[in-house]
């Protein structure tokens, strides 16, 4: 049987495309029509100014497949209504968790990374030191994951061993 881990699942953030520098007259339909050449689109969100009702000049597109993002954001020039536009993968937020009550010994940065990498890719581990105790590591640390959702899921669970 196939076991799907958190790392294997395809999340919305991995399928999201940012499109900027859009001319005022570009509509959601224009965006969908143009960007469908790269793959099937789940949704198009052209950002509008709530006060004026006018386009703010950028949008987010959500593709069904990750490959479509790679095709659309491959560095080639894109034009809509005769104007060059910016196309790139949408930024992905990192997520940080506080890890407390670490044992006094036997748990270094490598062990922390090894343990928490089962939940998702780690961007960094910060373990403060106690200057008053010969620079010994304190009994807590901060683990920053490349994806915010990993941190949120761990926080929901509350604790781990």
């Amino acid at each position: 049987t196939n076991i799907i881990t958190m790392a294997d699942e395809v999340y919305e953030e991995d399928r999201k495309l940012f499109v900027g520098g859009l001319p005022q007259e570009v509509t959601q339909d224009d965006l969908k029509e143009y960007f469908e050449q790269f793959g099937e689109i789940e949704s198009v969100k052209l950002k509008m100014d709530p006060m004026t009702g006018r386009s703010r000049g950028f949008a987010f597109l959500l593709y069904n497949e990750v490959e479509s993002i790679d095709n659309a954001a491959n560095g080639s020039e894109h034009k809509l209504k005769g104007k060059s536009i910016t196309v790139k993968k949408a930024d992905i937020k990192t997520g940080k968790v506080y890890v407390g009550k670490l044992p006094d010994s036997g748990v270094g940065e490598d062990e922390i990374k090894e343990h928490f990498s089962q939940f998702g890719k780690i961007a960094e581990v910060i373990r403060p030191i106690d200057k008053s105790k010969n620079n010994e590591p304190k009994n807590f640390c901060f683990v920053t994951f490349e994806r915010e959702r990993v941190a949120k899921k761990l926080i929901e669970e509350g604790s781990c061993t």
Side-chain angles (χ1 to χ4, degrees):
T1 59
N2 281 357
I3 297 169
I4 293 181
T5 64
M6 270 174 66
D8 296 330
E9 288 183 52
V10 178
Y11 287 87
E12 191 173 294
E13 66 205 18
D14 298 313
R15 301 179 287 119
K16 192 182 269 190
L17 188 72
F18 168 84
V19 183
L22 296 171
Q24 275 297 312
E25 63 273 16
V26 168
T27 65
Q28 290 199 155
D29 289 341
D30 293 333
L31 288 164
K32 187 170 169 63
E33 197 175 297
Y34 177 80
F35 284 98
E36 267 177 340
Q37 66 182 301
F38 304 107
E40 203 174 318
I41 294 173
E42 189 176 303
S43 68
V44 177
K45 291 195 176 99
L46 179 61
K47 297 299 182 177
M48 307 299 273
D49 183 317
M51 302 303 276
T52 65
R54 289 170 48 110
S55 165
R56 291 175 58 196
F58 69 96
F60 291 99
L61 280 77
L62 192 61
Y63 280 104
N64 290 351
E65 305 288 330
V66 174
E67 293 73 42
S68 306
I69 286 280
D70 298 331
N71 296 337
N74 67 0
S76 58
E77 187 182 29
H78 296 282
K79 283 187 173 189
L80 272 178
K81 307 270 187 203
K83 185 178 179 216
S84 285
I85 57 172
T86 303
V87 176
K88 64 180 186 136
K89 276 179 112 163
D91 292 337
I92 295 172
K93 289 183 187 155
T94 59
K96 186 186 281 191
V97 293
Y98 165 84
V99 181
K101 298 183 183 168
L102 292 172
D104 290 336
S105 62
V107 180
E109 203 170 302
D110 290 343
E111 287 80 11
I112 293 166
K113 276 184 180 160
E114 192 178 312
H115 177 77
F116 284 97
S117 64
Q118 68 182 300
F119 304 106
K121 270 194 170 164
I122 294 173
E124 73 173 347
V125 172
I126 295 177
R127 182 144 185 210
I129 55 169
D130 191 336
K131 290 192 171 105
S132 69
K133 289 186 183 168
N134 214 6
N135 289 343
E136 281 181 35
K138 293 189 176 185
N139 70 341
F140 66 91
C141 70
F142 297 96
V143 178
T144 304
F145 291 95
E146 287 183 8
R147 313 251 182 224
E148 183 181 44
R149 69 177 142 71
V150 177
K152 283 183 172 172
K153 189 168 176 21
L154 279 173
I155 290 166
E156 274 172 32
E157 289 173 15
S159 65
C160 65
T161 48

